[in-house]
Amino acid sequence: MEEEYEEFSQEQINELVERFEASIKETNSAYFDVEEFEEIIDYYDVTHDTKRLNIALKTASSIHPNHSFFKLKEAQRQMSSKRYSIAISILNDILEIEPENYMALQTLAFTYSNMGNHQRSLEIHLRTLALTSDLKDVYMNVAYEYESLHDYDKAVVYLKKILENDHEDEGALYEILFCYEVSKNMDESVKFFSNFVDDHPYSQTAWFNLGITYSNLELYEKAIDAYDYTLAIDEGFSSAYFNKANALININKYKEAIDNFNDTFIYEEPDSTTHMYIGQCYENLDNRDAAIKHYYKAIEINDKLPEAYVNIALLYFNIENYSKALPMIKLALEISPDNVDFKYILGDIIAEMEDYETAAGVYIDIAEADPDNKEVYFDLAGIYWNMGNKEDAFAILEKGIEVSKINYRNYVRLAEFYYELGDKNMSLNYISVACNSNMEGCLELISGITHLMEDEAVRELIDLKK
């Protein structure tokens, strides 16, 4: 009769490790049996003591040269170090003697997967199905390899096999949602999770995934219902409050969204992202002070969040409080110095402060960093014009038109300049070109240029173009 293996206690493991390390120092050949070496090697593996792990593996292999466990551990170590060819060679040696060694085959599959050879990894994982009664891990590994091969339908087949044996397996449920999302098969996702909650109505994970699916389909009311079912099952499911709040934002229910965002703080630590969303909700409710308060709360939690500084800067910019907007956008740029959008906001703020030379420098930097930017030429031309540099203003607009011949904004700016120079015919010509390019945008832009809109000829041309 085979002797039953007893697990070592932590105290016994510590004594083994001490005895092994003493034998290394004294360079004596203390004997440890296979089970003892397994515990020693696992200890060094878990504690990431690579040096002693190597010594233990070499010593164990020399004392017990025919035991595959030590070879397997060495192969796993080589795989972790990305020495894949060595790992494969060791594993093949094991499999030559023990062709049905489950752990060796699994490690070989992982090695090929790490090398990017997912087809070979898949084939090996499928071989292991006949070698174990614990099929869950194999099914999951097979699903992962099918995902890596972009065969999401087959991945779902194996994930469903996991759920046949354990319908509460959250990992399989989330992975199925992932497959449907990546393959953009949301209709099938609705069908699957709807059927699943019919069969298992207390699965909060399935209800949650159904909510995500409905949100992806922009069916926000149905998504909210699904999240409510999730929370009825588990009131502490903070992600459900968060997702429900986002769905409420999409149907303009900002007050309810704020309530749900705040509910997340009951069950988990407040985070900067949630405060950002709350701030945006208050912006939509025209509550500027509350919005700024939550953006500052986001900064208190994460002072490296540039979007929070930007949002505060824009709120001040919109009420023409440029002296408060300027330092905030500068702080954002300290965090993300290459962000073109942030630089653009900086240029706009400085331009409104009538520091035209500095604003021009900012816009020039943007044009040099992003020459295909269609908007910067319009603004830079306006700065040059305000500085009295009319020649450069026309030149930069010509460059802008080279970048985009259909950008109506540059043509409207040319019309504005020619009108101010007294050349009404050229002005009307460019208004005509702008209207042909984008009638709606042209009307919106010209409506803000008072001296153009007050001109009867301009109004008649626009009426004709409508």
Side-chain angles (χ1 to χ4, degrees), residues 70-110:
F70 307 120
K71 291 181 181 179
L72 179 62
K73 279 291 184 180
E74 175 63 17
Q76 290 170 343
R77 188 179 70 83
Q78 297 292 345
M79 179 187 72
S80 298
S81 301
K82 298 184 179 180
R83 292 189 283 266
Y84 300 125
S85 59
I86 297 173
I88 290 170
S89 177
I90 295 169
L91 291 166
N92 283 335
D93 286 345
I94 296 171
L95 291 166
E96 196 170 320
I97 300 167
E98 302 174 44
E100 294 187 349
N101 186 314
Y102 172 77
M103 290 302 297
L105 284 166
Q106 187 183 61
T107 305
L108 185 61
F110 290 152

Side-chain angles (χ1 to χ4, degrees), residues 258-270:
I258 290 168
D259 290 340
N260 278 271
F261 281 130
N262 281 323
D263 283 339
T264 68
F265 299 150
I266 299 171
Y267 302 103
E268 61 181 26
E269 285 295 313

Side-chain angles (χ1 to χ4, degrees), residues 176-450:
I176 287 172
L177 175 64
F178 168 79
C179 289
Y180 285 137
E181 284 186 318
V182 173
S183 60
K184 295 181 170 56
N185 196 353
M186 289 295 98
D187 290 338
E188 192 61 32
S189 186
V190 169
K191 181 181 175 182
F192 172 78
F193 287 111
S194 294
N195 290 336
F196 195 90
V197 296
D198 284 343
D199 294 335
H200 309 287
Y202 294 104
S203 172
Q204 74 261 28
T205 304
W207 279 112
F208 182 69
N209 287 355
L210 184 59
I212 293 172
T213 302
Y214 279 133
S215 287
N216 287 336
L217 290 168
E218 300 182 8
L219 299 172
Y220 299 114
E221 297 282 3
K222 288 186 174 182
I224 290 165
D225 288 342
Y227 294 133
D228 281 338
Y229 278 112
T230 307
L231 294 167
I233 298 164
D234 180 5
E235 67 175 0
F237 200 144
S238 60
S239 294
Y241 290 110
F242 186 88
N243 283 18
K244 181 184 174 184
N246 276 297
L248 287 162
I249 287 173
N250 281 287
I251 56 175
N252 303 321
K253 292 188 176 182
Y254 302 112
K255 288 181 181 178
E256 290 179 46
I258 290 168
D259 290 340
N260 278 271
F261 281 130
N262 281 323
D263 283 339
T264 68
F265 299 150
I266 299 171
Y267 302 103
E268 61 181 26
E269 285 295 313
D271 67 280
S272 56
T273 301
T274 306
H275 278 298
M276 285 285 290
Y277 277 111
I278 294 172
Q280 288 162 9
C281 286
Y282 277 119
E283 277 199 60
N284 284 305
L285 292 168
D286 295 321
N287 190 336
R288 183 179 64 254
D289 291 342
I292 290 173
K293 173 185 172 184
H294 281 277
Y295 292 143
Y296 272 116
K297 283 187 175 183
I299 291 168
E300 286 174 17
I301 296 169
N302 179 8
D303 63 0
K304 300 300 182 185
L305 188 67
E307 291 80 11
Y309 298 100
V310 170
N311 287 359
I312 296 171
L314 288 173
L315 280 169
Y316 284 127
F317 179 83
N318 291 334
I319 59 170
E320 301 180 8
N321 192 337
Y322 306 121
S323 62
K324 284 191 174 180
L326 184 60
M328 300 310 294
I329 196 61
K330 285 183 175 179
L331 285 168
L333 280 163
E334 285 180 15
I335 300 166
S336 299
D338 298 324
N339 189 299
V340 172
D341 291 334
F342 297 172
K343 286 183 181 179
Y344 218 122
I345 296 168
L346 173 66
D348 289 347
I349 293 170
I350 294 171
E352 291 295 338
M353 297 176 79
E354 298 186 0
D355 183 356
Y356 296 129
E357 189 170 340
T358 305
V362 174
Y363 291 137
I364 289 168
D365 284 346
I366 294 169
E368 289 175 352
D370 183 16
D372 293 331
N373 189 305
K374 297 175 183 178
E375 305 302 322
V376 69
Y377 303 101
F378 174 90
D379 289 307
L380 183 53
I383 294 295
Y384 282 143
W385 192 266
N386 289 333
M387 293 170 67
N389 194 340
K390 294 179 173 56
E391 186 176 335
D392 283 347
F394 279 111
I396 202 69
L397 282 174
E398 287 177 13
K399 188 172 182 181
I401 290 168
E402 285 177 17
V403 171
S404 175
K405 290 183 169 56
I406 60 170
N407 189 342
Y408 69 94
R409 289 167 59 84
N410 290 332
Y411 295 117
V412 170
R413 180 125 284 178
L414 281 169
E416 182 184 7
F417 289 170
Y418 277 112
Y419 192 92
E420 289 185 21
L421 291 173
D423 193 338
K424 186 184 284 190
N425 287 335
M426 285 293 285
S427 180
L428 291 171
N429 177 59
Y430 280 114
I431 289 172
S432 178
V433 174
C435 288
N436 291 340
S437 176
N438 185 329
M439 187 66 198
E440 184 179 346
C442 180
L443 284 174
E444 185 179 349
L445 186 56
I446 290 176
S447 66
I449 305 173
T450 307

